PDB file of all heavy atoms in Angstrom:
ATOM      1  N   ALA Q   1      -8.019 -54.543  34.237  1.00 95.00           N
ATOM      2  CA  ALA Q   1      -7.531 -54.840  35.584  1.00 95.00           C
ATOM      3  C   ALA Q   1      -7.217 -56.321  35.753  1.00 95.00           C
ATOM      4  O   ALA Q   1      -6.131 -56.698  36.211  1.00 95.00           O
ATOM      5  CB  ALA Q   1      -8.569 -54.400  36.619  1.00 95.00           C
ATOM      6  N   PHE Q   2      -8.162 -57.183  35.392  1.00 95.00           N
ATOM      7  CA  PHE Q   2      -7.936 -58.621  35.559  1.00 95.00           C
ATOM      8  C   PHE Q   2      -6.896 -59.139  34.572  1.00 95.00           C
ATOM      9  O   PHE Q   2      -6.148 -60.072  34.884  1.00 95.00           O
ATOM     10  CB  PHE Q   2      -9.251 -59.387  35.400  1.00 95.00           C
ATOM     11  CG  PHE Q   2     -10.108 -59.345  36.631  1.00 95.00           C
ATOM     12  CD1 PHE Q   2     -11.221 -58.508  36.704  1.00 95.00           C
ATOM     13  CD2 PHE Q   2      -9.803 -60.127  37.733  1.00 95.00           C
ATOM     14  CE1 PHE Q   2     -12.001 -58.445  37.851  1.00 95.00           C
ATOM     15  CE2 PHE Q   2     -10.577 -60.083  38.884  1.00 95.00           C
ATOM     16  CZ  PHE Q   2     -11.676 -59.245  38.944  1.00 95.00           C
ATOM     17  N   ALA Q   3      -6.823 -58.531  33.389  1.00 94.00           N
ATOM     18  CA  ALA Q   3      -5.815 -58.950  32.407  1.00 94.00           C
ATOM     19  C   ALA Q   3      -4.411 -58.637  32.927  1.00 94.00           C
ATOM     20  O   ALA Q   3      -3.511 -59.487  32.855  1.00 94.00           O
ATOM     21  CB  ALA Q   3      -6.055 -58.238  31.077  1.00 94.00           C
ATOM     22  N   TYR Q   4      -4.224 -57.434  33.457  1.00 94.00           N
ATOM     23  CA  TYR Q   4      -2.911 -57.076  34.005  1.00 94.00           C
ATOM     24  C   TYR Q   4      -2.545 -57.979  35.178  1.00 94.00           C
ATOM     25  O   TYR Q   4      -1.391 -58.384  35.331  1.00 94.00           O
ATOM     26  CB  TYR Q   4      -2.910 -55.617  34.468  1.00 94.00           C
ATOM     27  CG  TYR Q   4      -2.810 -54.602  33.358  1.00 94.00           C
ATOM     28  CD1 TYR Q   4      -3.330 -53.317  33.512  1.00 94.00           C
ATOM     29  CD2 TYR Q   4      -2.181 -54.897  32.152  1.00 94.00           C
ATOM     30  CE1 TYR Q   4      -3.235 -52.361  32.503  1.00 94.00           C
ATOM     31  CE2 TYR Q   4      -2.086 -53.958  31.138  1.00 94.00           C
ATOM     32  CZ  TYR Q   4      -2.611 -52.694  31.323  1.00 94.00           C
ATOM     33  OH  TYR Q   4      -2.513 -51.756  30.323  1.00 94.00           O
ATOM     34  N   ARG Q   5      -3.524 -58.294  36.006  1.00 95.00           N
ATOM     35  CA  ARG Q   5      -3.248 -59.155  37.170  1.00 95.00           C
ATOM     36  C   ARG Q   5      -2.837 -60.558  36.715  1.00 95.00           C
ATOM     37  O   ARG Q   5      -1.881 -61.150  37.255  1.00 95.00           O
ATOM     38  CB  ARG Q   5      -4.486 -59.229  38.071  1.00 95.00           C
ATOM     39  CG  ARG Q   5      -4.267 -60.033  39.336  1.00 95.00           C
ATOM     40  CD  ARG Q   5      -5.459 -59.915  40.267  1.00 95.00           C
ATOM     41  NE  ARG Q   5      -5.288 -60.766  41.444  1.00 95.00           N
ATOM     42  CZ  ARG Q   5      -6.165 -60.812  42.450  1.00 95.00           C
ATOM     43  NH1 ARG Q   5      -7.249 -60.052  42.437  1.00 95.00           N
ATOM     44  NH2 ARG Q   5      -5.961 -61.616  43.470  1.00 95.00           N
ATOM     45  N   MET Q   6      -3.550 -61.099  35.726  1.00 93.00           N
ATOM     46  CA  MET Q   6      -3.213 -62.425  35.208  1.00 93.00           C
ATOM     47  C   MET Q   6      -1.817 -62.444  34.592  1.00 93.00           C
ATOM     48  O   MET Q   6      -1.038 -63.375  34.815  1.00 93.00           O
ATOM     49  CB  MET Q   6      -4.260 -62.875  34.188  1.00 93.00           C
ATOM     50  CG  MET Q   6      -5.614 -63.188  34.779  1.00 93.00           C
ATOM     51  SD  MET Q   6      -6.855 -63.602  33.503  1.00 93.00           S
ATOM     52  CE  MET Q   6      -6.246 -65.214  32.965  1.00 93.00           C
ATOM     53  N   LYS Q   7      -1.505 -61.398  33.825  1.00 93.00           N
ATOM     54  CA  LYS Q   7      -0.199 -61.338  33.172  1.00 93.00           C
ATOM     55  C   LYS Q   7       0.911 -61.198  34.211  1.00 93.00           C
ATOM     56  O   LYS Q   7       1.968 -61.842  34.104  1.00 93.00           O
ATOM     57  CB  LYS Q   7      -0.162 -60.167  32.197  1.00 93.00           C
ATOM     58  CG  LYS Q   7       1.146 -60.075  31.410  1.00 93.00           C
ATOM     59  CD  LYS Q   7       1.078 -58.993  30.347  1.00 93.00           C
ATOM     60  CE  LYS Q   7       2.385 -58.902  29.568  1.00 93.00           C
ATOM     61  NZ  LYS Q   7       2.327 -57.874  28.502  1.00 93.00           N
ATOM     62  N   LEU Q   8       0.675 -60.373  35.227  1.00 93.00           N
ATOM     63  CA  LEU Q   8       1.672 -60.193  36.278  1.00 93.00           C
ATOM     64  C   LEU Q   8       1.950 -61.500  36.999  1.00 93.00           C
ATOM     65  O   LEU Q   8       3.116 -61.858  37.236  1.00 93.00           O
ATOM     66  CB  LEU Q   8       1.191 -59.133  37.275  1.00 93.00           C
ATOM     67  CG  LEU Q   8       2.113 -58.838  38.457  1.00 93.00           C
ATOM     68  CD1 LEU Q   8       3.427 -58.249  37.974  1.00 93.00           C
ATOM     69  CD2 LEU Q   8       1.433 -57.911  39.454  1.00 93.00           C
ATOM     70  N   GLU Q   9       0.893 -62.240  37.332  1.00 92.00           N
ATOM     71  CA  GLU Q   9       1.074 -63.518  38.026  1.00 92.00           C
ATOM     72  C   GLU Q   9       1.826 -64.518  37.150  1.00 92.00           C
ATOM     73  O   GLU Q   9       2.661 -65.288  37.642  1.00 92.00           O
ATOM     74  CB  GLU Q   9      -0.287 -64.089  38.444  1.00 92.00           C
ATOM     75  CG  GLU Q   9      -0.988 -63.303  39.542  1.00 92.00           C
ATOM     76  CD  GLU Q   9      -0.148 -63.244  40.813  1.00 92.00           C
ATOM     77  OE1 GLU Q   9       0.485 -64.263  41.182  1.00 92.00           O
ATOM     78  OE2 GLU Q   9      -0.111 -62.163  41.441  1.00 92.00           O
ATOM     79  N   ALA Q  10       1.539 -64.526  35.849  1.00 92.00           N
ATOM     80  CA  ALA Q  10       2.218 -65.441  34.931  1.00 92.00           C
ATOM     81  C   ALA Q  10       3.704 -65.110  34.834  1.00 92.00           C
ATOM     82  O   ALA Q  10       4.554 -66.010  34.842  1.00 92.00           O
ATOM     83  CB  ALA Q  10       1.572 -65.377  33.546  1.00 92.00           C
ATOM     84  N   ILE Q  11       4.023 -63.818  34.758  1.00 91.00           N
ATOM     85  CA  ILE Q  11       5.428 -63.411  34.657  1.00 91.00           C
ATOM     86  C   ILE Q  11       6.167 -63.720  35.959  1.00 91.00           C
ATOM     87  O   ILE Q  11       7.323 -64.176  35.938  1.00 91.00           O
ATOM     88  CB  ILE Q  11       5.526 -61.912  34.304  1.00 91.00           C
ATOM     89  CG1 ILE Q  11       5.074 -61.702  32.859  1.00 91.00           C
ATOM     90  CG2 ILE Q  11       6.949 -61.384  34.503  1.00 91.00           C
ATOM     91  CD1 ILE Q  11       4.998 -60.256  32.430  1.00 91.00           C
ATOM     92  N   LYS Q  12       5.511 -63.513  37.093  1.00 88.00           N
ATOM     93  CA  LYS Q  12       6.140 -63.850  38.376  1.00 88.00           C
ATOM     94  C   LYS Q  12       6.397 -65.343  38.477  1.00 88.00           C
ATOM     95  O   LYS Q  12       7.449 -65.782  38.959  1.00 88.00           O
ATOM     96  CB  LYS Q  12       5.251 -63.383  39.538  1.00 88.00           C
ATOM     97  CG  LYS Q  12       5.287 -61.885  39.776  1.00 88.00           C
ATOM     98  CD  LYS Q  12       4.739 -61.499  41.128  1.00 88.00           C
ATOM     99  CE  LYS Q  12       3.270 -61.802  41.247  1.00 88.00           C
ATOM    100  NZ  LYS Q  12       2.710 -61.300  42.529  1.00 88.00           N
ATOM    101  N   HIS Q  13       5.440 -66.136  38.015  1.00 86.00           N
ATOM    102  CA  HIS Q  13       5.594 -67.593  38.057  1.00 86.00           C
ATOM    103  C   HIS Q  13       6.750 -68.038  37.179  1.00 86.00           C
ATOM    104  O   HIS Q  13       7.543 -68.923  37.540  1.00 86.00           O
ATOM    105  CB  HIS Q  13       4.303 -68.270  37.621  1.00 86.00           C
ATOM    106  CG  HIS Q  13       4.316 -69.757  37.784  1.00 86.00           C
ATOM    107  ND1 HIS Q  13       4.603 -70.611  36.744  1.00 86.00           N
ATOM    108  CD2 HIS Q  13       4.095 -70.538  38.879  1.00 86.00           C
ATOM    109  CE1 HIS Q  13       4.547 -71.859  37.171  1.00 86.00           C
ATOM    110  NE2 HIS Q  13       4.247 -71.843  38.467  1.00 86.00           N
ATOM    111  N   GLN Q  14       6.881 -67.417  35.996  1.00 83.00           N
ATOM    112  CA  GLN Q  14       8.005 -67.736  35.115  1.00 83.00           C
ATOM    113  C   GLN Q  14       9.331 -67.375  35.777  1.00 83.00           C
ATOM    114  O   GLN Q  14      10.316 -68.105  35.683  1.00 83.00           O
ATOM    115  CB  GLN Q  14       7.869 -66.969  33.795  1.00 83.00           C
ATOM    116  CG  GLN Q  14       6.845 -67.539  32.831  1.00 83.00           C
ATOM    117  CD  GLN Q  14       6.826 -66.794  31.520  1.00 83.00           C
ATOM    118  OE1 GLN Q  14       7.090 -65.585  31.470  1.00 83.00           O
ATOM    119  NE2 GLN Q  14       6.508 -67.489  30.432  1.00 83.00           N
ATOM    120  N   GLY Q  15       9.358 -66.233  36.485  1.00 77.00           N
ATOM    121  CA  GLY Q  15      10.572 -65.799  37.158  1.00 77.00           C
ATOM    122  C   GLY Q  15      10.993 -66.745  38.258  1.00 77.00           C
ATOM    123  O   GLY Q  15      12.190 -67.058  38.407  1.00 77.00           O
ATOM    124  N   ARG Q  16      10.009 -67.248  39.004  1.00 73.00           N
ATOM    125  CA  ARG Q  16      10.320 -68.218  40.071  1.00 73.00           C
ATOM    126  C   ARG Q  16      10.842 -69.518  39.471  1.00 73.00           C
ATOM    127  O   ARG Q  16      11.748 -70.153  40.007  1.00 73.00           O
ATOM    128  CB  ARG Q  16       9.076 -68.482  40.924  1.00 73.00           C
ATOM    129  CG  ARG Q  16       8.723 -67.346  41.871  1.00 73.00           C
ATOM    130  CD  ARG Q  16       7.669 -67.769  42.874  1.00 73.00           C
ATOM    131  NE  ARG Q  16       6.386 -68.036  42.223  1.00 73.00           N
ATOM    132  CZ  ARG Q  16       5.426 -67.144  42.093  1.00 73.00           C
ATOM    133  NH1 ARG Q  16       5.599 -65.903  42.537  1.00 73.00           N
ATOM    134  NH2 ARG Q  16       4.284 -67.449  41.508  1.00 73.00           N
ATOM    135  N   ALA Q  17      10.249 -69.927  38.336  1.00 65.00           N
ATOM    136  CA  ALA Q  17      10.625 -71.204  37.733  1.00 65.00           C
ATOM    137  C   ALA Q  17      12.011 -71.167  37.092  1.00 65.00           C
ATOM    138  O   ALA Q  17      12.748 -72.143  37.136  1.00 65.00           O
ATOM    139  CB  ALA Q  17       9.582 -71.616  36.691  1.00 65.00           C
ATOM    140  N   THR Q  18      12.366 -70.027  36.485  1.00 66.00           N
ATOM    141  CA  THR Q  18      13.621 -69.969  35.749  1.00 66.00           C
ATOM    142  C   THR Q  18      14.815 -69.518  36.588  1.00 66.00           C
ATOM    143  O   THR Q  18      15.938 -69.931  36.344  1.00 66.00           O
ATOM    144  CB  THR Q  18      13.492 -69.012  34.547  1.00 66.00           C
ATOM    145  OG1 THR Q  18      13.093 -67.712  35.026  1.00 66.00           O
ATOM    146  CG2 THR Q  18      12.453 -69.535  33.569  1.00 66.00           C
ATOM    147  N   SER Q  19      14.557 -68.652  37.585  1.00 59.00           N
ATOM    148  CA  SER Q  19      15.682 -68.118  38.353  1.00 59.00           C
ATOM    149  C   SER Q  19      15.608 -68.437  39.835  1.00 59.00           C
ATOM    150  O   SER Q  19      16.570 -68.204  40.562  1.00 59.00           O
ATOM    151  CB  SER Q  19      15.762 -66.594  38.165  1.00 59.00           C
ATOM    152  OG  SER Q  19      14.619 -65.979  38.758  1.00 59.00           O
ATOM    153  N   GLY Q  20      14.449 -68.935  40.254  1.00 59.00           N
ATOM    154  CA  GLY Q  20      14.284 -69.218  41.681  1.00 59.00           C
ATOM    155  C   GLY Q  20      14.140 -67.957  42.506  1.00 59.00           C
ATOM    156  O   GLY Q  20      14.137 -68.006  43.743  1.00 59.00           O
ATOM    157  N   GLN Q  21      13.992 -66.806  41.840  1.00 61.00           N
ATOM    158  CA  GLN Q  21      13.886 -65.532  42.541  1.00 61.00           C
ATOM    159  C   GLN Q  21      12.518 -65.404  43.202  1.00 61.00           C
ATOM    160  O   GLN Q  21      11.498 -65.780  42.635  1.00 61.00           O
ATOM    161  CB  GLN Q  21      14.098 -64.381  41.558  1.00 61.00           C
ATOM    162  CG  GLN Q  21      14.301 -63.037  42.214  1.00 61.00           C
ATOM    163  CD  GLN Q  21      14.565 -61.949  41.178  1.00 61.00           C
ATOM    164  OE1 GLN Q  21      13.964 -61.951  40.104  1.00 61.00           O
ATOM    165  NE2 GLN Q  21      15.458 -61.026  41.488  1.00 61.00           N
ATOM    166  N   VAL Q  22      12.479 -64.883  44.426  1.00 60.00           N
ATOM    167  CA  VAL Q  22      11.228 -64.675  45.145  1.00 60.00           C
ATOM    168  C   VAL Q  22      11.300 -63.324  45.854  1.00 60.00           C
ATOM    169  O   VAL Q  22      12.348 -62.702  45.933  1.00 60.00           O
ATOM    170  CB  VAL Q  22      10.958 -65.794  46.186  1.00 60.00           C
ATOM    171  CG1 VAL Q  22      10.749 -67.119  45.514  1.00 60.00           C
ATOM    172  CG2 VAL Q  22      12.125 -65.881  47.177  1.00 60.00           C
ATOM    173  N   GLY Q  23      10.154 -62.903  46.403  1.00 67.00           N
ATOM    174  CA  GLY Q  23      10.140 -61.710  47.233  1.00 67.00           C
ATOM    175  C   GLY Q  23       9.964 -60.420  46.465  1.00 67.00           C
ATOM    176  O   GLY Q  23       9.570 -60.397  45.288  1.00 67.00           O
ATOM    177  N   PRO Q  24      10.271 -59.293  47.123  1.00 74.00           N
ATOM    178  CA  PRO Q  24      10.048 -57.958  46.549  1.00 74.00           C
ATOM    179  C   PRO Q  24      10.763 -57.726  45.223  1.00 74.00           C
ATOM    180  O   PRO Q  24      10.234 -57.042  44.353  1.00 74.00           O
ATOM    181  CB  PRO Q  24      10.592 -57.015  47.638  1.00 74.00           C
ATOM    182  CG  PRO Q  24      10.507 -57.801  48.902  1.00 74.00           C
ATOM    183  CD  PRO Q  24      10.767 -59.221  48.515  1.00 74.00           C
ATOM    184  N   LYS Q  25      11.976 -58.278  45.067  1.00 79.00           N
ATOM    185  CA  LYS Q  25      12.714 -58.063  43.823  1.00 79.00           C
ATOM    186  C   LYS Q  25      11.978 -58.666  42.630  1.00 79.00           C
ATOM    187  O   LYS Q  25      11.906 -58.059  41.558  1.00 79.00           O
ATOM    188  CB  LYS Q  25      14.115 -58.656  43.925  1.00 79.00           C
ATOM    189  CG  LYS Q  25      15.076 -57.840  44.788  1.00 79.00           C
ATOM    190  CD  LYS Q  25      16.483 -58.394  44.703  1.00 79.00           C
ATOM    191  CE  LYS Q  25      17.449 -57.528  45.521  1.00 79.00           C
ATOM    192  NZ  LYS Q  25      18.840 -58.054  45.445  1.00 79.00           N
ATOM    193  N   LEU Q  26      11.431 -59.868  42.817  1.00 83.00           N
ATOM    194  CA  LEU Q  26      10.673 -60.507  41.740  1.00 83.00           C
ATOM    195  C   LEU Q  26       9.405 -59.704  41.449  1.00 83.00           C
ATOM    196  O   LEU Q  26       9.040 -59.500  40.291  1.00 83.00           O
ATOM    197  CB  LEU Q  26      10.316 -61.949  42.121  1.00 83.00           C
ATOM    198  CG  LEU Q  26       9.426 -62.692  41.124  1.00 83.00           C
ATOM    199  CD1 LEU Q  26      10.120 -62.830  39.770  1.00 83.00           C
ATOM    200  CD2 LEU Q  26       9.055 -64.075  41.663  1.00 83.00           C
ATOM    201  N   GLU Q  27       8.738 -59.245  42.500  1.00 81.00           N
ATOM    202  CA  GLU Q  27       7.512 -58.449  42.342  1.00 81.00           C
ATOM    203  C   GLU Q  27       7.818 -57.179  41.545  1.00 81.00           C
ATOM    204  O   GLU Q  27       7.086 -56.833  40.602  1.00 81.00           O
ATOM    205  CB  GLU Q  27       6.955 -58.081  43.716  1.00 81.00           C
ATOM    206  CG  GLU Q  27       5.657 -57.295  43.689  1.00 81.00           C
ATOM    207  CD  GLU Q  27       4.449 -58.159  43.410  1.00 81.00           C
ATOM    208  OE1 GLU Q  27       4.492 -59.360  43.715  1.00 81.00           O
ATOM    209  OE2 GLU Q  27       3.457 -57.621  42.883  1.00 81.00           O
TER     210      GLU Q  27
END
């Protein structure tokens, strides 16, 4: 559970940094 949560947050952070994408689509 915590591993998936950490990985999800890391991937979301990468998405915000590289594409500036936010919100439900990024999630």
Side-chain angles (χ1 to χ4, degrees):
F2 281 103
Y4 283 153
R5 183 173 176 177
M6 290 176 71
K7 183 174 180 179
L8 179 64
E9 291 301 320
I11 289 175
K12 285 196 294 186
H13 187 263
Q14 284 184 328
R16 286 192 293 267
T18 57
S19 66
Q21 192 178 38
V22 295
K25 286 187 177 180
L26 175 62
E27 182 78 26

